Amino acid sequence: MRFISLQRDGGRVVPGIVLHRDGADVAVDVTHAANPPWCAALPADLLAWIEMGLDALAARLDATAFADAACMPLAQAALAAPLPRPGKVVGAAFNFHDALRERGMPPPAAPVIFIKSGRTVIGPGQPVRLAADVGNVTYEAELGVVIGRTALRIDAAHAMDHVAGYLVVNDVSASDMVRADKAFVRGKSQPTFCPCGPWIATRDEVADPGALGVRLRLDGVLRQQGNTADLVFGIAELIAHASTQMPLDPGDIIATGTPAGVAIAHDPPAWLRPGSAMTAEVDGLGALHNPIVAEGKP
C-alpha cells in the first residue's frame, strides 16, 4: 500500500492512502468524517501509523469501503511530505560505485554516514529555498528507507525486519559548505534541503529494493541515472551499521546514497539556481518535483 500525508484546509496535515480504482490512482483522506467510524479512532499522523505497523494497518484499510467524499484523484491532491517531521534522516555518503568512479575514489571500507536534520524535510511541490550566503548547491536523488521499529545494534540478517517502507529522497546539499567544513552537518541541514515523497510504499509494493532505477531531471534535462544495484553497501548493511552508532526510531529515514551526475560532474556544473525545478524519481515510488527559489521569495 502507498501511504501519504494530505494538506487540508487551514494548514492541517492528515494521513491517507493511495488506492487504484477504476483505472486511476485515488487519494483517500482516511480521517474524513464520512468514513466508517473505526477510522476516527486512528491517530491523526502518519508517524503514529508507522509505530502501529503499516503492514497490519494496510490490510484493514485495503478492505475498507471509504466514502466518496473522502476520495479525490491523486493528481489533484495536495500532498505534504509523508513524514513532515521525522526524528532524523541518516544519509549514506560515497555509496554508489558509479559516483565513486566519476570522482576517482575507491569504495570506503565501511559505510560513511551523516545526520541530516528532520527539520530540513519538505514535500512534493514545495520549494527548495536558497539563501544568498549559501554557495554552490546540488541535487542528490536517492532511495529512502523508512524505519518501522527501533533498531539498536542489530545485524544485517535482521535489518530488513525493521523497514516500514520506501520513498524518494532528494538530499539537497551545499557543496561549498561540505568542502569548507570537511564535514556534512551544515551543508546537508540547511532549511528545505530534504524533499521527500510523494508517498511511502510498504515493502510488499517493492519486489527488490536492490534493483531500482534512480533518476533526476533538472529543468527537464536528465542529470542522474543510476540503479540501486550499484550501491556499495546495501540497505541491510546500512541499517545494521547505523544501528551501531545510534538508535534508529520509527519514522527515521535512511537515505541510501546518490548515483553519478551530481551538479559538479557536469560541464558547466549544474548548480541549483532560483527559477529552476527538479524532479527526482525512483522506480515504483513516484516522482518528486520541487522548484528552486531564492530565500524570502514566495
Side-chain angles (χ1 to χ4, degrees):
M1 180 167 279
R2 291 171 287 172
F3 288 85
I4 54 177
S5 287
L6 289 159
Q7 295 181 335
R8 309 305 286 162
D9 296 338
R12 292 183 305 123
V13 175
V14 300
I17 59 174
V18 178
L19 296 178
H20 196 70
R21 287 183 174 175
D22 301 322
D25 284 333
V26 175
V28 181
D29 177 357
V30 174
T31 70
H32 197 284
N35 286 330
W38 79 270
C39 294
L42 288 172
D45 68 272
L46 191 49
L47 176 57
W49 288 15
I50 289 171
E51 292 170 339
M52 293 170 60
L54 291 186
D55 289 339
L57 186 56
R60 191 171 184 187
L61 290 170
D62 194 44
T64 298
F66 293 102
D68 289 344
C71 303
M72 70 195 78
L74 180 60
Q76 297 176 18
L79 300 182
L83 292 165
R85 285 290 178 265
K88 56 186 174 290
V89 179
V90 181
F94 315 127
N95 201 42
F96 259 82
H97 285 290
D98 68 347
L100 291 168
R101 288 192 297 270
E102 186 175 64
R103 299 175 65 160
M105 294 174 58
V112 178
I113 62 173
F114 57 87
I115 299 297
K116 193 175 178 89
S117 168
R119 293 187 64 81
T120 62
V121 168
I122 59 173
Q126 294 183 302
V128 170
R129 298 186 181 278
L130 302 183
D133 61 346
V134 175
N136 293 326
V137 176
T138 185
Y139 47 81
E140 294 186 16
E142 311 198 10
L143 169 65
V145 180
V146 180
I147 298 298
R149 59 189 181 95
T150 299
L152 180 62
R153 292 185 288 275
I154 62 170
D155 58 40
H158 299 100
M160 299 306 287
D161 296 336
H162 295 259
V163 174
Y166 305 96
L167 78 170
V168 182
V169 173
N170 190 343
D171 176 24
V172 177
S173 306
S175 298
D176 288 358
M177 288 180 171
V178 172
R179 278 196 298 272
D181 298 347
K182 296 183 173 58
F184 295 105
V185 174
R186 186 168 64 117
K188 298 285 190 177
S189 288
Q190 296 298 301
T192 74
F193 272 25
C194 195
C196 291
W199 54 71
I200 296 171
T202 48
R203 289 177 296 175
D204 60 296
E205 294 266 341
V206 181
D208 184 0
L212 299 176
V214 180
R215 295 169 295 281
L216 186 131
R217 290 177 172 83
L218 181 63
D219 294 330
V221 177
L222 184 65
R223 294 295 188 176
Q224 288 185 288
Q225 185 168 19
N227 193 288
T228 56
D230 206 28
L231 290 173
V232 177
F233 300 100
I235 294 167
E237 293 171 286
L238 290 176
I239 293 172
H241 178 77
S243 81
T244 68
Q245 311 298 305
M246 71 200 89
L248 299 176
D249 300 309
D252 286 351
I253 297 171
I254 307 289
T256 57
T258 200
V262 295
I264 199 170
H266 298 279
D267 185 15
W271 302 117
L272 300 183
R273 296 286 184 259
S276 290
M278 55 187 170
T279 302
E281 300 174 89
V282 177
D283 286 351
L285 299 179
L288 178 60
H289 181 79
N290 297 92
I292 300 106
V293 303
E295 187 177 69
K297 299 293 185 181

